[in-house]
Amino acid sequence: MFANLPSLGVGIGYRSELARDIFDSADHVDWLELVTEHYIQCTSERLDHARWLREHFPVVPHGIEMSIGTDGEVDSAYVDALAEFVALVDAPWCSDHLCFTRAGGIALGQLTPLPRTVELAATIARKAQCVQDRVGVPFLLENISYYVDFPSELTEAQFITEVMERCSCGLLLDLTNVHTNAVNHGFSALEFLTVLPMERVVQVHLAGGHWEQGTLLDSHSHAVPEDVWQLLARTLELAPLRGILIERDDNFPADASELVGELDRARSILSAAAGAR
Amino acid sequence: MNVRNFEEAYANLLVSDDARETLATEPEKIRRQFSLTDAELRALRSVDRSRLELSADTVKGVRVRVLQRALPEATRALARWATGDEVLDSYLRHCPPFREASPNRLLAEAARFVRFAGGDGRDHVPAYIRDVATYEELRLRLAYDRRAGDAARACQTEAAGWLETLVTDPARLVGASFALGTHVALAAFDHDVVAITSNGARDLVEQHRRPTWLILKRSHERMTPFVYRIGEVPYEFFRRLNGTTRLRQICSDVFEGGPPERAIGLVRMGLEHALLVIPSSSNHHQS
């Protein structure tokens, strides 16, 4: 299904705080992920910035505000703007989260878990398919981390699978979220992977969180933990990955060495997996 | 399951301390408020309270980080204020993140805080922090307004023609009408917000308590607006430029019927700095 997609290698989520490190270490960075909302319905300067980044790296838009899980249709103006942005940067795919961020006039600004029912999975699959058809490139849905879990008809892995089986979209598997949820909700991350349709995984996210009040938080503020590196190795055995991406949103390292070390480590795991095939 | 009702209820629980308390003590109230079924209410009630609080704290944390990015000096000043934490907490509790006209989260949070600081929080937010927040929000609004960028570009072109008129036939101007472009904003403060923000709000506030009139202009080349200090009279003059009132009338109001030279001087400044938008076409035929 995604056989024609390019293999982007190992990239990093672009943040202005990391701009200098990214360009100073450009040899270690294969591609960038840009936050969609920073570049749509925006000023011409922002679009120039996106074009400029695209001149240096392949770029993939990654959204946080589509809120595909909100009851009702996805905002068509938003999807049109996303399609324009995808075309502007010639993105091989784009992504957003399997969650909701808005409800009842409240803009939570936070990726929030959904009630996991078959009916909702079907609705989301239909909406995701519409998005993909409109943007013209594969649209990936990402699993989120959550601290509150509602008793639901489906497990998280079943819910994701149900969505994937009802559309032709891809999966952006956030391995740190898998690890965080496994730790906080007491399940096996490796078993979680066996339930998912791994052939649909196009890209992975890696990041590090921290502990607070006995809960592991997905804060993107620390180095990628060892367990997540092991999940990456396992994922590469199961999925035809086209991109690995490191995310950092807080507690930015004083110099580029930590992130470069993570990029290089991801690349070496990727190479080892390719060699083993 | 009714997804709409369930999501609405959960979103409210995440942003309202009162709603979480009500869920614990009077769940039926929550059921009625959001028309929940037994199963939906049970699902919400089964949630571990500490995890629910943690999730709510996460939402607050995101809002605080967005606010800090949107209003860096105002939030820094607030953090140094004796009751700053309480004010911020009160803001988060009393101003839930309802969707704003702007989809931009920075703008939405900044506008929400400025409304709070001038409204419910007025007695608790120091006046200089209110001023700084208003100033930073204005700058942000100009920076992110797509129409402002376009207006700045258009204005530059039009200004050249009118500057020529100034040289050849200055008297013609008094019969014309001008307006500030959408890339320009006027603002008046009780504190010198420019000095406060350029000093990182470190100086004694009393040193900066003085009336301050500003013009902020977004250029087409950069998002960060230029800031011009002006006096009270020029402020009044520019405030009255509305695109329909003739310069002659404004002169009469602001300069009490004095000679138009001062008004022409201000128009010249406005044109040279590309602050004034295209006058209506009828202006070109005024004599």
Side-chain angles (χ1 to χ4, degrees):
Chain A
M1 190 176 290
F2 304 116
N4 294 328
L5 288 180
S7 290
L8 296 186
V10 182
I12 193 161
Y14 181 83
R15 307 290 183 266
S16 56
E17 292 88 343
L18 295 172
R20 179 183 290 245
D21 287 348
I22 288 170
F23 280 91
D24 286 351
S25 320
D27 291 349
H28 301 265
V29 179
D30 297 328
W31 62 287
L32 297 178
E33 197 178 64
L34 304 189
V35 175
T36 304
E37 287 73 14
H38 293 177
Y39 299 94
I40 63 170
Q41 298 162 342
C42 66
T43 60
S44 55
E45 288 90 343
R46 296 299 298 172
L47 294 179
D48 289 344
H49 185 247
R51 283 191 199 96
W52 179 73
L53 289 173
R54 179 64 186 92
E55 284 171 16
H56 296 84
F57 300 97
V59 159
V60 170
H62 178 56
I64 49 179
E65 292 282 354
M66 182 182 286
S67 198
I68 199 163
T70 296
D71 188 51
E73 295 306 311
V74 173
D75 179 355
S76 61
Y78 178 97
V79 180
D80 287 347
L82 170 61
E84 279 177 31
F85 184 46
V86 162
L88 179 84
V89 296
D90 190 23
W93 65 79
C94 63
S95 57
D96 208 301
H97 299 83
L98 184 53
C99 70
F100 76 99
T101 58
R102 294 187 300 274
I106 294 172
L108 289 166
Q110 171 77 352
L111 310 171
T112 307
L114 296 161
R116 297 186 299 259
T117 65
V118 172
E119 190 184 352
L120 184 57
T123 304
I124 289 176
R126 179 185 58 75
K127 291 197 279 187
Q129 189 67 54
C130 289
V131 172
Q132 180 168 276
D133 293 347
R134 173 69 187 90
V135 296
V137 295
F139 174 56
L140 319 185
L141 283 170
E142 178 183 354
N143 58 307
I144 64 163
S145 62
Y146 51 90
Y147 310 119
V148 160
D149 196 16
F150 312 111
S152 289
E153 202 177 314
L154 302 172
T155 65
E156 187 198 359
Q158 288 169 337
F159 183 68
I160 295 169
T161 304
E162 195 73 29
V163 173
M164 286 294 125
E165 284 178 354
R166 290 166 183 264
C167 65
S168 65
C169 299
L171 187 55
L172 193 176
L173 188 59
D174 188 314
L175 294 174
T176 300
N177 289 347
V178 173
H179 168 67
T180 304
N181 294 337
V183 168
N184 289 334
H185 300 290
F187 62 79
S188 157
L190 286 171
E191 277 177 29
F192 181 91
L193 297 188
T194 64
V195 179
L196 297 178
M198 294 299 281
E199 73 283 0
R200 304 286 281 279
V201 180
V202 174
Q203 182 196 325
V204 293
H205 272 171
L206 312 174
H210 73 279
W211 286 89
E212 201 171 299
Q213 299 166 38
T215 302
L216 179 57
L217 298 188
D218 172 38
S219 51
H220 297 185
S221 57
H222 289 78
V224 177
E226 212 45 48
D227 287 342
V228 174
W229 289 116
Q230 287 172 23
L231 283 178
L232 173 64
R234 180 64 183 140
T235 300
L236 282 161
E237 292 169 6
L238 303 170
L241 279 193
R242 301 292 166 171
I244 298 173
L245 190 111
I246 310 276
E247 292 183 297
R248 188 71 172 239
D249 287 299
D250 206 354
N251 189 28
F252 293 100
D255 62 52
S257 59
E258 182 183 323
L259 290 171
V260 166
E262 292 190 324
L263 289 161
D264 290 348
R265 183 168 179 183
R267 191 171 290 103
S268 77
I269 295 173
L270 180 63
S271 302
R277 281 198 198 107
Chain B
M1 169 171 286
N2 184 313
V3 174
R4 179 182 298 253
N5 293 348
F6 187 81
E7 287 181 348
E8 267 191 49
Y10 185 50
N12 270 275
L13 291 175
L14 289 179
V15 300
S16 165
D17 297 357
D18 292 344
R20 292 195 297 282
E21 193 52 38
T22 306
L23 179 70
T25 56
E26 296 175 90
E28 280 305 315
K29 240 181 170 173
I30 295 289
R31 181 218 296 275
R32 281 196 301 277
Q33 187 180 348
F34 298 102
S35 307
L36 299 174
T37 63
D38 285 348
E40 289 159 1
L41 185 65
R42 257 200 317 277
L44 289 176
R45 290 199 71 195
S46 71
V47 165
D48 179 279
R49 180 71 191 256
S50 65
R51 287 277 174 88
L52 183 58
E53 293 298 334
L54 184 67
S55 299
D57 285 347
T58 309
V59 172
K60 281 183 189 168
V62 170
R63 289 187 64 194
V64 170
R65 280 197 295 280
V66 169
L67 192 66
Q68 286 167 339
R69 281 183 59 203
L71 309 175
E73 296 303 341
T75 48
R76 258 195 285 272
L78 199 57
R80 282 197 294 269
W81 185 250
T83 56
D85 287 347
E86 288 163 38
V87 170
L88 192 58
D89 191 54
S90 169
Y91 164 65
L92 294 169
R93 273 191 292 113
H94 292 109
C95 304
F98 289 116
R99 286 187 82 179
E100 300 277 333
S102 168
N104 182 308
R105 282 166 69 188
L106 291 179
L107 280 178
E109 201 65 63
R112 200 177 287 126
F113 183 81
V114 167
R115 275 202 307 277
F116 165 79
D120 290 349
R122 192 171 181 83
D123 294 340
H124 308 289
V125 180
Y128 83 99
I129 296 181
R130 277 204 306 271
D131 272 3
V132 171
T134 305
Y135 172 62
E136 289 188 307
E137 193 260 345
L138 192 55
R139 286 170 52 114
L140 202 63
R141 198 147 29 95
L142 280 176
Y144 281 96
D145 187 347
R146 269 189 299 176
R147 290 167 314 157
D150 295 343
R153 189 171 288 113
C155 186
Q156 194 95 10
T157 322
E158 286 295 322
W162 276 92
L163 276 167
E164 204 178 305
T165 305
L166 260 173
V167 176
T168 55
D169 187 9
R172 218 185 100 194
L173 253 73
V174 292
S177 53
F178 294 88
L180 291 172
T182 46
H183 62 301
V184 179
L186 278 176
F189 300 100
D190 296 330
H191 296 82
D192 188 342
V193 289
V194 180
I196 293 175
T197 52
S198 58
N199 272 319
R202 280 186 295 271
D203 289 353
L204 287 174
V205 175
E206 286 308 314
Q207 293 173 351
H208 300 299
R209 191 202 293 271
R210 53 178 167 264
T212 300
W213 298 275
L214 302 175
I215 294 182
L216 292 88
K217 185 194 82 168
R218 162 81 144 82
S219 82
H220 67 279
E221 287 153 340
R222 64 170 209 177
M223 290 172 74
T224 309
F226 292 94
V227 180
Y228 304 92
R229 285 178 186 279
I230 54 173
E232 186 176 11
V233 173
Y235 173 84
E236 269 310 307
F237 173 80
F238 284 117
R239 198 174 65 80
R240 287 165 194 248
L241 295 180
N242 57 10
T244 53
T245 309
R246 304 288 173 199
L247 218 49
R248 185 181 296 115
Q249 181 64 46
I250 297 173
C251 279
S252 160
D253 294 346
V254 178
F255 303 116
E256 294 171 345
E261 283 75 16
R262 220 171 149 195
I264 290 174
L266 288 171
V267 168
R268 178 191 297 278
M269 183 202 120
L271 292 171
E272 283 172 349
H273 289 87
L275 305 173
L276 305 179
V277 285
I278 316 157
S280 68
S281 58
S282 62
N283 280 341
H284 294 287
H285 307 295
Q286 293 292 322
S287 58

